[in-house]
Amino acid sequence: MRSVERDVRLLILAASAGSADGWSYFGLGHAFVANMTGNTVLLGIAVFQNPGDLLHPAISLGCYAAGVVIGSLLTRNVRPGTAWSRAISWTLMLEALLLLAAEAGWVAIHVRASHSPSLDLLLATVALAIGMQSGAMVQLKIPGIVTTYITGTWTTMLSGLVRLARGERQQDRGQDLEFEQRLLLQAAVLSAYFLSAVLTGWLFQHLPLAVGALPGLCILLVAVRGLIYNV
């Protein structure tokens, strides 16, 4: 697979995570589904709040962890150095179905349909789905690139920029070029995550029924393209 194709897929996955985090925080109980650092802080703060919301960050943490386990098991046979894998695409397809099911539940709640699911169930479903993405993407072993939690991406990008500013060079020109391309990809991932969160905020204001469609459709696009064009 061409690296450009892989990088575009990574950007779409990052956009899905940023959108899902915005959806879950503002619409599903003030908890994150991709940012587990934030959930850990929320859970710790809630211990001494009166009343504290222990439930939602706990749901998100538990379901995300379960999703990582499932995603890792589904992609356990991916060989190191693989550019992409059908196992990853199938895992993302399952994630997309979960996210679109959560979107259907979101719509049902807002139109007050009978037997509509609870927001807690939707939070659990979205966190499980995003956890599956995290577990699957780890198998690609792309240095400094994570599509669901971006603290590590921030850290490695800024550290790389410091090295670049100091004029540190690799012994091989090819390694220099790879290093610079990785910095660009890290910046692009962060931008995709941020802009998708901005778009999610806009959807909350102007088209709230479609909020959950964005992450689900992003993942579906990557999964279908991976299954059709995987080499």
Side-chain angles (χ1 to χ4, degrees):
M1 183 204 302
R2 294 177 303 168
S3 60
V4 173
E5 168 76 14
R6 183 206 64 183
D7 292 350
V8 169
R9 294 182 190 181
L10 293 175
L11 294 181
I12 296 173
L13 293 176
S16 73
S19 177
D21 256 346
W23 179 24
S24 66
Y25 189 80
F26 287 109
L28 303 179
H30 290 285
F32 299 105
V33 290
N35 179 10
M36 293 302 111
T37 303
N39 280 334
T40 304
V41 172
L42 292 173
L43 193 62
I45 290 173
V47 171
F48 288 104
Q49 282 187 328
N50 186 24
D53 183 8
L54 292 165
L55 178 62
H56 294 110
I59 288 175
S60 192
L61 278 165
C63 292
Y64 178 90
V68 171
V69 171
I70 294 170
S72 299
L73 288 173
L74 291 174
T75 56
R76 64 188 181 280
N77 293 325
V78 175
R79 289 176 293 181
T82 302
W84 203 265
S85 164
R86 291 185 70 84
I88 290 175
S89 294
W90 280 116
T91 303
L92 295 178
M93 177 64 74
L94 180 55
E95 178 194 0
L97 294 176
L98 287 172
L99 290 173
L100 292 174
E103 161 65 3
W106 174 257
V107 172
I109 288 173
H110 281 75
V111 299
R112 303 193 182 281
S114 60
H115 307 297
S116 60
S118 70
L119 289 176
D120 292 347
L121 178 59
L122 298 189
L123 176 63
T125 302
V126 177
L128 180 72
I130 296 298
M132 290 174 58
Q133 179 183 328
S134 296
M137 300 314 296
V138 163
Q139 306 303 326
L140 292 181
K141 295 180 173 59
I142 305 172
I145 302 296
V146 184
T147 60
T148 53
Y149 51 98
I150 62 169
T151 302
T153 306
W154 271 111
T155 303
T156 53
M157 185 189 74
L158 293 173
S159 152
L161 288 174
V162 169
R163 287 178 54 193
L164 199 63
R166 293 178 58 187
E168 294 183 20
R169 297 294 181 192
Q170 304 289 337
Q171 294 181 349
D172 184 274
R173 174 57 189 163
Q175 290 179 334
D176 266 344
L177 181 60
E178 182 182 350
F179 175 69
E180 291 167 5
Q181 289 174 337
R182 189 182 307 149
L183 284 178
L184 288 174
L185 179 57
Q186 288 166 345
V189 165
L190 294 171
S191 299
Y193 190 96
F194 172 75
L195 292 174
S196 67
V198 172
L199 178 56
T200 301
W202 183 89
L203 288 173
F204 265 111
Q205 290 292 321
H206 302 285
L207 199 60
L209 289 182
V211 166
L214 180 59
L217 292 176
C218 284
I219 299 297
L220 184 63
L221 173 63
V222 174
V224 169
R225 187 164 181 86
L227 291 170
I228 294 176
Y229 297 101
N230 188 65
V231 294

